[in-house]
Amino acid sequence: MLSINSECILSKKSEDIPPFYVMEVLENAQAMEAEGRHIIHLEVGEPDFPTAPHICEAAYDAIVRGSTKYTHSQGFLPLREAIVNSYYHKFGIDLSPNQVIVTSGTSPGLLLVFMALLEKWDEVIMSNPHYACYPNFVKYLGGVPVYVYTNDTNGFALEPEKVEQYLSPNTKVILINSPSNPGGYVMSPENLKGLAAIADERGVPIVSDEIYQGLIYSGEEHTILEYTNNTFVINGFSKLYAMTGWRLGYIICPSECVRVIQKIHQNFFICANSFVQEAGISALQGSQEHVTDMIQTYNMRRQYMLKRLLGMGLDVRKEPTGAFYVLADARKYSHDSLELSRSILNNVGVAVTPGIDFGNGAEGYLRFSYSNSIENIKEGMDRLEAFFGKKDEG
Ligand SMILES: Cc1ncc(COP(=O)(O)O)c(C=O)c1O
C-alpha cells in the first residue's frame, strides 16, 4: 500500500498550527480514567450544566415541524431580531437585525471576520495572555499577531495607552475579549472607551469577542458597541446558555460590511443549523431563570475556589469577576506550567490547564475552571493542597 508523506501533501501553515494543550491535558486525564483513576476536571472551559429543557424542546419541535432546511445565510430573521433586542435590553443600544450574521458558533464567527478583514502581513493587536486560538486564526490567514503583554495586578487589562505604543501602519485590528478567557476579567468602561477612541481616530476596527457576556458576578457589564460603531462583535450561546455542543453564535458588524461577510458565509458554511437557530430564539426569549441560577452557582464556586487557591499560596492579584476561570500565578512552584500541570495530573489526579496555552505572558500560571460541581471543586482543592504542601518552592 502507498504510504503517504504528510509533509508533502499538507500545507505548511496547517502543519504549523500548535496543539491546544488543554485538549492534551483532557485526553491524558481521560486515558487515566479509562484505567480506573478518579480525576477531578478543572481544565475544561465548558459549562457543566445541561441546556435548559425549554431550549431543547424548541429544537425538538422545530425538527418535528420540518424546520430542517437551509436558512437565510444571515440566519432566521426572528433570531436576529431576538439578538438585537437582547443588546437593546442589556445595553440600550439600537441595532438593526440586518447587522447580524448567525454562525455555527463563535469560532466560525471569528474566522469569518478575520477572513473579511485581513490581508497578508496585517497586524492584529491582542493581549498576552489571550484565548489560545486567537493567534492561530490570524496566522492562518497570513496576518501577524502583535502581543501587548499585560499584568495580573490589574487583571491583565488591555490599556489604551499601551495599545497606542503598538500601533503601526500595518495595524488592521485591535482584538479584545471581555469577560476574558483565561483570566475571567471584565474590561472597565474607561478602557473600552479609550480603545473605542483609538478605533474612531485611527480607523482601526475593534474585534470584540463577547462569548462570556452575561457571566459576571459583580460590577457592571459593558459592550464595545456602547462606545463605537467601528467594531465587529462576536458572541454566541455556548457559555451563557450552556449550549457548547449546539454550535450557535453570531457576528454584529457595521451595515456596510455585512454583504462581504455574508458572501463568505454563503460560500464556506451556507448557513447555521436551522433547528439550532430556533433553539436560540427560545434561549433569548424564554425564561432566564436557569441563567440566573447558573450565575448564582458559578459565583458561589468562584468565591470558594479563590479562597482555597490563595490559601495554598497561589497568587491571584486581582479578583476575577467574570466567565468561569481563575488564572493563578504558580511560579513559586514552577516556571514550566505544562510540566507542572502534568505533574499535578499524575500525582493527585486533578486536571488543570497550563498557562502557556494562552501565550508566554501566562507561563508559570495555571488556569482553573469552576464549571464543575462544588463537591468536585472541594475535592480538587484538597488534592491540590496536598500536592503543593509536599512540593518545594523553587
Ligand atoms: C474566548 C473564547 N472565544 C471563543 C470560544 C469558542 O466558542 P464557541 O463554542 O462559540 O465556538 C471560546 C471557547 O472556549 C472562548 O473561550
Side-chain angles (χ1 to χ4, degrees):
M1 218 205 305
L2 177 72
S3 69
I4 304 282
N5 180 351
S6 66
E7 273 181 33
C8 292
I9 59 171
L10 299 176
S11 69
K12 184 164 177 332
K13 64 181 181 185
S14 308
E15 298 253 11
D16 283 351
I17 284 213
F20 201 178
Y21 290 115
V22 65
M23 297 315 288
E24 195 193 293
V25 174
L26 177 65
E27 284 155 21
N28 289 343
Q30 285 168 338
M32 289 166 71
E33 279 170 326
E35 284 167 11
R37 281 280 301 271
H38 180 259
I39 305 294
I40 301 287
H41 290 274
L42 302 179
E43 80 284 36
V44 275
E46 170 165 58
D48 57 311
F49 299 98
T51 307
H54 66 272
I55 301 176
C56 300
E57 276 156 26
Y60 179 76
D61 287 350
I63 294 172
V64 173
R65 256 191 293 114
S67 180
T68 52
K69 309 284 186 196
Y70 291 139
T71 73
H72 189 287
S73 56
Q74 276 185 258
F76 281 134
L77 183 59
L79 175 57
R80 288 184 279 133
E81 283 168 347
I83 290 167
V84 300
N85 280 343
S86 78
Y87 271 77
Y88 182 76
H89 288 301
K90 280 188 198 161
F91 307 109
I93 315 168
D94 241 336
L95 298 163
S96 156
N98 286 330
Q99 289 178 255
V100 179
I101 298 152
V102 176
T103 56
S104 298
T106 307
S107 309
L110 283 163
L111 183 64
L112 284 166
V113 166
F114 284 128
M115 282 172 118
L117 290 174
L118 295 184
E119 305 277 6
K120 202 166 168 48
W121 306 124
D122 278 347
E123 294 177 358
V124 177
I125 295 181
M126 64 182 80
S127 68
N128 191 339
H130 47 71
Y131 172 52
C133 306
Y134 290 154
N136 304 333
F137 282 110
V138 173
K139 286 190 212 161
Y140 204 85
L141 295 167
V144 181
V146 172
Y147 301 120
V148 179
Y149 285 88
T150 52
N151 198 313
D152 64 359
T153 51
N154 64 357
F156 297 103
L158 191 61
E159 291 160 332
E161 307 75 48
K162 267 196 181 170
V163 168
E164 294 262 11
Q165 293 165 20
Y166 289 82
L167 289 170
S168 86
N170 294 333
T171 308
K172 192 62 189 288
V173 169
I174 299 166
L175 173 59
I176 62 173
N177 169 220
S178 174
S180 68
N181 178 9
Y185 291 106
V186 181
M187 279 181 84
S188 69
E190 292 72 33
N191 282 343
L192 287 171
K193 260 182 230 165
L195 292 174
I198 296 177
D200 289 343
E201 283 157 26
R202 312 281 187 119
V204 176
I206 294 181
V207 171
S208 178
D209 179 352
E210 303 188 354
I211 178 76
Y212 292 96
Q213 193 192 89
L215 292 176
I216 78 157
Y217 313 105
S218 75
E220 270 184 24
E221 187 170 32
H222 293 275
T223 168
I224 191 72
L225 282 161
E226 290 170 72
Y227 309 107
T228 179
N229 295 323
N230 192 7
T231 185
F232 295 73
V233 166
I234 295 139
N235 202 337
F237 294 74
S238 289
K239 313 290 177 174
L240 188 64
Y241 291 102
M243 290 175 69
T244 42
W246 295 70
R247 312 308 304 134
L248 189 62
Y250 53 89
I251 301 165
I252 301 174
C253 70
S255 322
E256 301 79 357
C257 303
V258 169
R259 182 69 187 137
V260 165
I261 299 182
Q262 183 192 4
K263 284 190 295 177
I264 307 174
H265 197 217
Q266 286 169 342
N267 273 278
F268 297 151
F269 299 100
I270 300 186
C271 64
N273 180 316
S274 55
F275 48 87
V276 169
Q277 291 188 49
E278 303 228 21
I281 299 171
S282 163
L284 292 173
Q285 291 183 340
S287 160
Q288 302 296 303
E289 214 180 298
H290 63 294
V291 175
T292 316
D293 290 350
M294 281 191 282
I295 290 173
Q296 264 175 18
T297 308
Y298 282 137
N299 191 23
M300 187 255 297
R301 296 170 180 174
R302 175 186 74 98
Q303 288 165 341
Y304 176 81
M305 182 183 263
L306 261 177
K307 203 165 71 194
R308 292 291 307 266
L309 291 175
L310 293 172
M312 64 186 85
L314 298 182
D315 277 324
V316 184
R317 297 185 179 87
K318 184 174 183 218
E319 183 180 337
T321 55
F324 36 63
Y325 306 113
V326 180
L327 185 64
D329 185 352
R331 286 176 296 180
K332 188 191 270 185
Y333 297 107
S334 170
H335 285 258
D336 183 340
S337 59
L338 189 56
E339 185 43 42
L340 183 61
S341 66
R342 282 185 183 138
S343 174
I344 294 171
L345 181 62
N346 291 332
N347 283 290
V348 291
V350 181
V352 301
T353 309
I356 191 65
D357 227 2
F358 310 103
N360 54 5
E363 181 51 308
Y365 288 69
L366 296 172
R367 189 194 72 175
F368 301 86
S369 162
Y370 44 90
S371 57
N372 202 336
S373 68
I374 192 71
E375 293 74 26
N376 283 339
I377 292 174
K378 273 186 185 152
E379 170 69 20
M381 292 298 121
D382 290 347
R383 292 187 193 184
L384 285 168
E385 205 167 71
F387 176 87
F388 286 118
K390 280 198 209 124
K391 197 166 167 52
D392 290 335
E393 296 188 8

